[in-house]
Amino acid sequence: HARSLLPCQDCPQAKCTWSAKVTAPDWSTVLMSAVQASEPTVLPGGQKEFEWRQNVPTPSYLIAIAVGDLQSKDISKRCRVWSEPSMVEKVAHEFQETESFLAIAESLTCPYVW
């Protein structure tokens, strides 16, 4: 529930833009359902600060955060997967058809701009 992260109206009709700064151990990576606003800032004490912005009004149930020992792998020019380092190749294989799914959806509707 979004309400466990922040005070909000947790329903599809209530949409908002938002930004977040997340401090995490320097060994970790922070991901959010937004655009990364800047490169992570190294802080004293073995910490890093990540900053995210979501300028498109979205319902609160789409606010997501993941923090951990994460590695990415590009599976097309616009698609990337994230996982624990030991699983990233398997995850890339599992999602290898994502680009073709997007292309089919775009042929039926409109360009996917996110």
Side-chain angles (χ1 to χ4, degrees), residues 6-49:
L6 60 133
C8 64
Q9 294 294 317
D10 196 6
C11 64
Q13 297 84 1
K15 297 180 181 180
C16 64
T17 60
W18 55 272
S19 63
K21 286 186 179 182
V22 180
T23 302
D26 61 5
W27 56 263
S28 65
T29 298
V30 176
L31 302 174
M32 293 195 79
S33 55
V35 175
Q36 192 169 1
S38 62
E39 289 298 312
T41 303
V42 177
L43 301 174
Q47 303 275 313
K48 284 193 294 190
E49 183 180 80

mmCIF file of all heavy atoms in Angstrom, residues 6-49:
data_model
loop_
_atom_site.group_PDB
_atom_site.id
_atom_site.type_symbol
_atom_site.label_atom_id
_atom_site.label_comp_id
_atom_site.label_asym_id
_atom_site.label_seq_id
_atom_site.Cartn_x
_atom_site.Cartn_y
_atom_site.Cartn_z
ATOM 1 N N LEU A 6 4.001 6.831 2.406
ATOM 2 C CA LEU A 6 3.793 8.270 2.508
ATOM 3 C C LEU A 6 2.315 8.557 2.733
ATOM 4 O O LEU A 6 1.469 7.747 2.381
ATOM 5 C CB LEU A 6 4.254 8.961 1.220
ATOM 6 C CG LEU A 6 3.541 8.507 -0.048
ATOM 7 C CD1 LEU A 6 3.113 9.709 -0.869
ATOM 8 C CD2 LEU A 6 4.465 7.622 -0.870
ATOM 9 N N PRO A 7 2.023 9.717 3.297
ATOM 10 C CA PRO A 7 0.611 10.073 3.471
ATOM 11 C C PRO A 7 0.005 10.424 2.115
ATOM 12 O O PRO A 7 0.525 11.284 1.393
ATOM 13 C CB PRO A 7 0.659 11.288 4.405
ATOM 14 C CG PRO A 7 2.031 11.827 4.274
ATOM 15 C CD PRO A 7 2.922 10.692 3.862
ATOM 16 N N CYS A 8 -1.049 9.741 1.727
ATOM 17 C CA CYS A 8 -1.649 9.979 0.416
ATOM 18 C C CYS A 8 -3.065 9.421 0.363
ATOM 19 O O CYS A 8 -3.465 8.628 1.205
ATOM 20 C CB CYS A 8 -0.809 9.333 -0.685
ATOM 21 S SG CYS A 8 -0.740 7.530 -0.565
ATOM 22 N N GLN A 9 -3.792 9.838 -0.654
ATOM 23 C CA GLN A 9 -5.070 9.235 -0.985
ATOM 24 C C GLN A 9 -4.752 8.076 -1.919
ATOM 25 O O GLN A 9 -4.334 8.287 -3.050
ATOM 26 C CB GLN A 9 -5.988 10.250 -1.672
ATOM 27 C CG GLN A 9 -6.397 11.394 -0.784
ATOM 28 C CD GLN A 9 -7.263 10.913 0.364
ATOM 29 O OE1 GLN A 9 -8.151 10.095 0.207
ATOM 30 N NE2 GLN A 9 -6.990 11.429 1.546
ATOM 31 N N ASP A 10 -4.885 6.883 -1.447
ATOM 32 C CA ASP A 10 -4.452 5.694 -2.191
ATOM 33 C C ASP A 10 -5.597 5.166 -3.046
ATOM 34 O O ASP A 10 -6.201 4.137 -2.748
ATOM 35 C CB ASP A 10 -3.959 4.631 -1.203
ATOM 36 C CG ASP A 10 -3.142 3.550 -1.878
ATOM 37 O OD1 ASP A 10 -2.859 3.674 -3.081
ATOM 38 O OD2 ASP A 10 -2.793 2.572 -1.201
ATOM 39 N N CYS A 11 -5.899 5.891 -4.127
ATOM 40 C CA CYS A 11 -6.958 5.476 -5.042
ATOM 41 C C CYS A 11 -6.586 5.938 -6.451
ATOM 42 O O CYS A 11 -5.824 6.886 -6.612
ATOM 43 C CB CYS A 11 -8.303 6.033 -4.614
ATOM 44 S SG CYS A 11 -8.391 7.823 -4.675
ATOM 45 N N PRO A 12 -7.094 5.284 -7.482
ATOM 46 C CA PRO A 12 -6.713 5.620 -8.859
ATOM 47 C C PRO A 12 -7.039 7.056 -9.279
ATOM 48 O O PRO A 12 -6.342 7.625 -10.107
ATOM 49 C CB PRO A 12 -7.507 4.629 -9.708
ATOM 50 C CG PRO A 12 -7.844 3.506 -8.795
ATOM 51 C CD PRO A 12 -7.966 4.113 -7.436
ATOM 52 N N GLN A 13 -8.073 7.658 -8.702
ATOM 53 C CA GLN A 13 -8.469 8.999 -9.113
ATOM 54 C C GLN A 13 -7.515 10.077 -8.609
ATOM 55 O O GLN A 13 -7.411 11.137 -9.204
ATOM 56 C CB GLN A 13 -9.885 9.323 -8.598
ATOM 57 C CG GLN A 13 -10.949 8.430 -9.153
ATOM 58 C CD GLN A 13 -11.083 7.117 -8.370
ATOM 59 O OE1 GLN A 13 -10.394 6.868 -7.399
ATOM 60 N NE2 GLN A 13 -11.972 6.272 -8.850
ATOM 61 N N ALA A 14 -6.834 9.824 -7.502
ATOM 62 C CA ALA A 14 -5.937 10.816 -6.914
ATOM 63 C C ALA A 14 -4.540 10.645 -7.500
ATOM 64 O O ALA A 14 -3.837 9.689 -7.186
ATOM 65 C CB ALA A 14 -5.899 10.659 -5.393
ATOM 66 N N LYS A 15 -4.162 11.576 -8.378
ATOM 67 C CA LYS A 15 -2.860 11.503 -9.041
ATOM 68 C C LYS A 15 -1.999 12.677 -8.612
ATOM 69 O O LYS A 15 -2.503 13.746 -8.289
ATOM 70 C CB LYS A 15 -3.037 11.514 -10.562
ATOM 71 C CG LYS A 15 -3.801 10.309 -11.056
ATOM 72 C CD LYS A 15 -3.968 10.348 -12.552
ATOM 73 C CE LYS A 15 -4.769 9.119 -12.998
ATOM 74 N NZ LYS A 15 -4.952 9.112 -14.449
ATOM 75 N N CYS A 16 -0.696 12.468 -8.625
ATOM 76 C CA CYS A 16 0.209 13.539 -8.238
ATOM 77 C C CYS A 16 1.562 13.357 -8.919
ATOM 78 O O CYS A 16 1.923 12.260 -9.351
ATOM 79 C CB CYS A 16 0.394 13.570 -6.724
ATOM 80 S SG CYS A 16 1.189 12.085 -6.072
ATOM 81 N N THR A 17 2.301 14.453 -9.010
ATOM 82 C CA THR A 17 3.705 14.374 -9.362
ATOM 83 C C THR A 17 4.467 14.243 -8.043
ATOM 84 O O THR A 17 3.930 14.566 -6.975
ATOM 85 C CB THR A 17 4.162 15.634 -10.114
ATOM 86 O OG1 THR A 17 3.966 16.759 -9.277
ATOM 87 C CG2 THR A 17 3.387 15.806 -11.417
ATOM 88 N N TRP A 18 5.690 13.780 -8.099
ATOM 89 C CA TRP A 18 6.425 13.626 -6.855
ATOM 90 C C TRP A 18 7.923 13.576 -7.119
ATOM 91 O O TRP A 18 8.375 13.386 -8.245
ATOM 92 C CB TRP A 18 5.976 12.381 -6.077
ATOM 93 C CG TRP A 18 6.056 11.093 -6.851
ATOM 94 C CD1 TRP A 18 5.093 10.555 -7.661
ATOM 95 C CD2 TRP A 18 7.150 10.178 -6.894
ATOM 96 N NE1 TRP A 18 5.519 9.378 -8.194
ATOM 97 C CE2 TRP A 18 6.784 9.111 -7.742
ATOM 98 C CE3 TRP A 18 8.397 10.150 -6.303
ATOM 99 C CZ2 TRP A 18 7.628 8.039 -8.010
ATOM 100 C CZ3 TRP A 18 9.236 9.078 -6.568
ATOM 101 C CH2 TRP A 18 8.837 8.051 -7.406
ATOM 102 N N SER A 19 8.674 13.757 -6.056
ATOM 103 C CA SER A 19 10.124 13.609 -6.097
ATOM 104 C C SER A 19 10.564 12.943 -4.799
ATOM 105 O O SER A 19 9.831 12.965 -3.807
ATOM 106 C CB SER A 19 10.813 14.960 -6.278
ATOM 107 O OG SER A 19 10.546 15.799 -5.180
ATOM 108 N N ALA A 20 11.736 12.337 -4.855
ATOM 109 C CA ALA A 20 12.243 11.655 -3.658
ATOM 110 C C ALA A 20 13.755 11.693 -3.628
ATOM 111 O O ALA A 20 14.406 11.626 -4.674
ATOM 112 C CB ALA A 20 11.770 10.200 -3.653
ATOM 113 N N LYS A 21 14.291 11.823 -2.427
ATOM 114 C CA LYS A 21 15.716 11.649 -2.183
ATOM 115 C C LYS A 21 15.843 10.476 -1.224
ATOM 116 O O LYS A 21 15.206 10.468 -0.172
ATOM 117 C CB LYS A 21 16.342 12.890 -1.558
ATOM 118 C CG LYS A 21 16.512 14.024 -2.530
ATOM 119 C CD LYS A 21 17.261 15.176 -1.896
ATOM 120 C CE LYS A 21 17.440 16.298 -2.893
ATOM 121 N NZ LYS A 21 18.200 17.407 -2.305
ATOM 122 N N VAL A 22 16.634 9.493 -1.612
ATOM 123 C CA VAL A 22 16.772 8.278 -0.812
ATOM 124 C C VAL A 22 18.244 8.087 -0.477
ATOM 125 O O VAL A 22 19.097 8.085 -1.370
ATOM 126 C CB VAL A 22 16.244 7.045 -1.586
ATOM 127 C CG1 VAL A 22 16.403 5.797 -0.740
ATOM 128 C CG2 VAL A 22 14.793 7.256 -1.999
ATOM 129 N N THR A 23 18.530 7.934 0.801
ATOM 130 C CA THR A 23 19.884 7.657 1.251
ATOM 131 C C THR A 23 19.993 6.176 1.559
ATOM 132 O O THR A 23 19.132 5.606 2.240
ATOM 133 C CB THR A 23 20.216 8.485 2.510
ATOM 134 O OG1 THR A 23 20.057 9.866 2.196
ATOM 135 C CG2 THR A 23 21.635 8.229 2.984
ATOM 136 N N ALA A 24 21.059 5.552 1.037
ATOM 137 C CA ALA A 24 21.232 4.104 1.196
ATOM 138 C C ALA A 24 22.716 3.801 1.337
ATOM 139 O O ALA A 24 23.566 4.641 1.011
ATOM 140 C CB ALA A 24 20.662 3.383 -0.031
ATOM 141 N N PRO A 25 23.043 2.595 1.811
ATOM 142 C CA PRO A 25 24.460 2.215 1.902
ATOM 143 C C PRO A 25 25.126 2.300 0.525
ATOM 144 O O PRO A 25 24.488 2.052 -0.504
ATOM 145 C CB PRO A 25 24.407 0.764 2.390
ATOM 146 C CG PRO A 25 23.071 0.620 3.041
ATOM 147 C CD PRO A 25 22.160 1.538 2.299
ATOM 148 N N ASP A 26 26.423 2.646 0.509
ATOM 149 C CA ASP A 26 27.102 2.866 -0.769
ATOM 150 C C ASP A 26 27.231 1.616 -1.630
ATOM 151 O O ASP A 26 27.452 1.706 -2.825
ATOM 152 C CB ASP A 26 28.467 3.531 -0.569
ATOM 153 C CG ASP A 26 29.430 2.717 0.271
ATOM 154 O OD1 ASP A 26 29.119 1.576 0.656
ATOM 155 O OD2 ASP A 26 30.525 3.241 0.545
ATOM 156 N N TRP A 27 27.031 0.438 -1.085
ATOM 157 C CA TRP A 27 27.093 -0.797 -1.878
ATOM 158 C C TRP A 27 25.790 -1.064 -2.624
ATOM 159 O O TRP A 27 25.732 -1.921 -3.487
ATOM 160 C CB TRP A 27 27.424 -2.007 -0.995
ATOM 161 C CG TRP A 27 26.466 -2.196 0.146
ATOM 162 C CD1 TRP A 27 26.650 -1.768 1.437
ATOM 163 C CD2 TRP A 27 25.185 -2.820 0.110
ATOM 164 N NE1 TRP A 27 25.545 -2.096 2.198
ATOM 165 C CE2 TRP A 27 24.619 -2.748 1.397
ATOM 166 C CE3 TRP A 27 24.444 -3.439 -0.899
ATOM 167 C CZ2 TRP A 27 23.378 -3.254 1.713
ATOM 168 C CZ3 TRP A 27 23.189 -3.944 -0.580
ATOM 169 C CH2 TRP A 27 22.676 -3.844 0.706
ATOM 170 N N SER A 28 24.758 -0.308 -2.296
ATOM 171 C CA SER A 28 23.436 -0.598 -2.850
ATOM 172 C C SER A 28 23.076 0.333 -4.008
ATOM 173 O O SER A 28 23.691 1.370 -4.224
ATOM 174 C CB SER A 28 22.367 -0.496 -1.761
ATOM 175 O OG SER A 28 22.273 0.830 -1.292
ATOM 176 N N THR A 29 22.050 -0.064 -4.726
ATOM 177 C CA THR A 29 21.458 0.738 -5.791
ATOM 178 C C THR A 29 20.001 0.974 -5.420
ATOM 179 O O THR A 29 19.325 0.065 -4.934
ATOM 180 C CB THR A 29 21.529 -0.011 -7.139
ATOM 181 O OG1 THR A 29 22.910 -0.214 -7.465
ATOM 182 C CG2 THR A 29 20.858 0.761 -8.253
ATOM 183 N N VAL A 30 19.521 2.192 -5.660
ATOM 184 C CA VAL A 30 18.127 2.539 -5.412
ATOM 185 C C VAL A 30 17.441 2.740 -6.757
ATOM 186 O O VAL A 30 17.951 3.460 -7.620
ATOM 187 C CB VAL A 30 18.005 3.825 -4.561
ATOM 188 C CG1 VAL A 30 16.545 4.234 -4.403
ATOM 189 C CG2 VAL A 30 18.661 3.638 -3.203
ATOM 190 N N LEU A 31 16.304 2.096 -6.941
ATOM 191 C CA LEU A 31 15.475 2.257 -8.132
ATOM 192 C C LEU A 31 14.097 2.735 -7.703
ATOM 193 O O LEU A 31 13.606 2.331 -6.649
ATOM 194 C CB LEU A 31 15.330 0.931 -8.879
ATOM 195 C CG LEU A 31 16.618 0.261 -9.341
ATOM 196 C CD1 LEU A 31 16.309 -1.110 -9.935
ATOM 197 C CD2 LEU A 31 17.344 1.138 -10.343
ATOM 198 N N MET A 32 13.496 3.586 -8.521
ATOM 199 C CA MET A 32 12.134 4.037 -8.248
ATOM 200 C C MET A 32 11.364 4.120 -9.556
ATOM 201 O O MET A 32 11.957 4.132 -10.638
ATOM 202 C CB MET A 32 12.133 5.389 -7.535
ATOM 203 C CG MET A 32 12.712 5.329 -6.133
ATOM 204 S SD MET A 32 12.338 6.791 -5.140
ATOM 205 C CE MET A 32 10.643 6.424 -4.664
ATOM 206 N N SER A 33 10.070 4.211 -9.453
ATOM 207 C CA SER A 33 9.193 4.329 -10.625
ATOM 208 C C SER A 33 9.126 5.785 -11.074
ATOM 209 O O SER A 33 8.064 6.396 -11.102
ATOM 210 C CB SER A 33 7.809 3.790 -10.292
ATOM 211 O OG SER A 33 7.303 4.453 -9.136
ATOM 212 N N ALA A 34 10.281 6.341 -11.410
ATOM 213 C CA ALA A 34 10.406 7.739 -11.814
ATOM 214 C C ALA A 34 11.691 7.880 -12.623
ATOM 215 O O ALA A 34 12.413 6.911 -12.844
ATOM 216 C CB ALA A 34 10.447 8.630 -10.577
ATOM 217 N N VAL A 35 11.984 9.103 -13.018
ATOM 218 C CA VAL A 35 13.210 9.397 -13.756
ATOM 219 C C VAL A 35 14.287 9.804 -12.762
ATOM 220 O O VAL A 35 14.034 10.639 -11.879
ATOM 221 C CB VAL A 35 12.964 10.525 -14.778
ATOM 222 C CG1 VAL A 35 14.254 10.931 -15.467
ATOM 223 C CG2 VAL A 35 11.912 10.104 -15.792
ATOM 224 N N GLN A 36 15.463 9.235 -12.907
ATOM 225 C CA GLN A 36 16.557 9.596 -12.019
ATOM 226 C C GLN A 36 16.961 11.032 -12.322
ATOM 227 O O GLN A 36 17.274 11.378 -13.466
ATOM 228 C CB GLN A 36 17.733 8.646 -12.199
ATOM 229 C CG GLN A 36 18.771 8.774 -11.122
ATOM 230 C CD GLN A 36 19.800 7.653 -11.162
ATOM 231 O OE1 GLN A 36 19.770 6.783 -12.001
ATOM 232 N NE2 GLN A 36 20.729 7.696 -10.231
ATOM 233 N N ALA A 37 16.930 11.906 -11.315
ATOM 234 C CA ALA A 37 17.169 13.331 -11.495
ATOM 235 C C ALA A 37 18.650 13.669 -11.622
ATOM 236 O O ALA A 37 19.006 14.674 -12.229
ATOM 237 C CB ALA A 37 16.557 14.112 -10.335
ATOM 238 N N SER A 38 19.513 12.840 -11.041
ATOM 239 C CA SER A 38 20.950 13.095 -11.088
ATOM 240 C C SER A 38 21.686 11.806 -10.749
ATOM 241 O O SER A 38 21.087 10.828 -10.297
ATOM 242 C CB SER A 38 21.331 14.195 -10.095
ATOM 243 O OG SER A 38 21.020 13.796 -8.768
ATOM 244 N N GLU A 39 22.968 11.838 -10.970
ATOM 245 C CA GLU A 39 23.799 10.702 -10.562
ATOM 246 C C GLU A 39 23.815 10.638 -9.030
ATOM 247 O O GLU A 39 23.690 11.669 -8.364
ATOM 248 C CB GLU A 39 25.224 10.860 -11.089
ATOM 249 C CG GLU A 39 25.345 10.687 -12.590
ATOM 250 C CD GLU A 39 24.940 9.296 -13.041
ATOM 251 O OE1 GLU A 39 25.392 8.317 -12.437
ATOM 252 O OE2 GLU A 39 24.148 9.195 -13.995
ATOM 253 N N PRO A 40 23.983 9.456 -8.459
ATOM 254 C CA PRO A 40 24.033 9.356 -6.995
ATOM 255 C C PRO A 40 25.166 10.206 -6.414
ATOM 256 O O PRO A 40 26.236 10.326 -7.014
ATOM 257 C CB PRO A 40 24.297 7.872 -6.744
ATOM 258 C CG PRO A 40 23.840 7.189 -7.990
ATOM 259 C CD PRO A 40 24.088 8.150 -9.106
ATOM 260 N N THR A 41 24.892 10.803 -5.268
ATOM 261 C CA THR A 41 25.876 11.612 -4.556
ATOM 262 C C THR A 41 26.500 10.762 -3.461
ATOM 263 O O THR A 41 25.778 10.151 -2.663
ATOM 264 C CB THR A 41 25.194 12.844 -3.925
ATOM 265 O OG1 THR A 41 24.530 13.583 -4.951
ATOM 266 C CG2 THR A 41 26.193 13.725 -3.208
ATOM 267 N N VAL A 42 27.821 10.731 -3.401
ATOM 268 C CA VAL A 42 28.521 9.998 -2.341
ATOM 269 C C VAL A 42 28.501 10.861 -1.083
ATOM 270 O O VAL A 42 28.862 12.044 -1.117
ATOM 271 C CB VAL A 42 29.969 9.664 -2.757
ATOM 272 C CG1 VAL A 42 30.709 8.978 -1.621
ATOM 273 C CG2 VAL A 42 29.969 8.804 -4.014
ATOM 274 N N LEU A 43 28.058 10.267 0.006
ATOM 275 C CA LEU A 43 27.978 10.957 1.288
ATOM 276 C C LEU A 43 28.979 10.352 2.259
ATOM 277 O O LEU A 43 29.434 9.215 2.073
ATOM 278 C CB LEU A 43 26.562 10.819 1.866
ATOM 279 C CG LEU A 43 25.416 11.362 1.013
ATOM 280 C CD1 LEU A 43 24.083 11.020 1.658
ATOM 281 C CD2 LEU A 43 25.557 12.855 0.818
ATOM 282 N N PRO A 44 29.314 11.071 3.317
ATOM 283 C CA PRO A 44 30.198 10.499 4.336
ATOM 284 C C PRO A 44 29.549 9.303 5.032
ATOM 285 O O PRO A 44 28.336 9.145 5.027
ATOM 286 C CB PRO A 44 30.405 11.646 5.335
ATOM 287 C CG PRO A 44 29.729 12.844 4.785
ATOM 288 C CD PRO A 44 28.918 12.436 3.607
ATOM 289 N N GLY A 45 30.368 8.466 5.599
ATOM 290 C CA GLY A 45 29.860 7.339 6.377
ATOM 291 C C GLY A 45 29.393 6.170 5.542
ATOM 292 O O GLY A 45 28.544 5.392 5.982
ATOM 293 N N GLY A 46 29.909 6.041 4.313
ATOM 294 C CA GLY A 46 29.546 4.896 3.485
ATOM 295 C C GLY A 46 28.126 4.932 2.974
ATOM 296 O O GLY A 46 27.462 3.905 2.875
ATOM 297 N N GLN A 47 27.628 6.125 2.632
ATOM 298 C CA GLN A 47 26.259 6.293 2.157
ATOM 299 C C GLN A 47 26.265 6.935 0.766
ATOM 300 O O GLN A 47 27.224 7.604 0.381
ATOM 301 C CB GLN A 47 25.479 7.208 3.104
ATOM 302 C CG GLN A 47 25.438 6.733 4.538
ATOM 303 C CD GLN A 47 24.324 5.753 4.770
ATOM 304 O OE1 GLN A 47 23.202 5.975 4.355
ATOM 305 N NE2 GLN A 47 24.622 4.668 5.439
ATOM 306 N N LYS A 48 25.172 6.756 0.043
ATOM 307 C CA LYS A 48 24.926 7.442 -1.216
ATOM 308 C C LYS A 48 23.505 7.995 -1.189
ATOM 309 O O LYS A 48 22.620 7.390 -0.575
ATOM 310 C CB LYS A 48 25.036 6.484 -2.417
ATOM 311 C CG LYS A 48 26.428 6.123 -2.811
ATOM 312 C CD LYS A 48 26.497 5.438 -4.173
ATOM 313 C CE LYS A 48 25.838 4.093 -4.179
ATOM 314 N NZ LYS A 48 26.089 3.307 -5.398
ATOM 315 N N GLU A 49 23.310 9.110 -1.881
ATOM 316 C CA GLU A 49 21.979 9.700 -1.998
ATOM 317 C C GLU A 49 21.538 9.645 -3.458
ATOM 318 O O GLU A 49 22.263 10.050 -4.356
ATOM 319 C CB GLU A 49 21.980 11.144 -1.514
ATOM 320 C CG GLU A 49 20.605 11.788 -1.552
ATOM 321 C CD GLU A 49 20.638 13.216 -1.066
ATOM 322 O OE1 GLU A 49 21.031 14.099 -1.852
ATOM 323 O OE2 GLU A 49 20.284 13.435 0.106
#
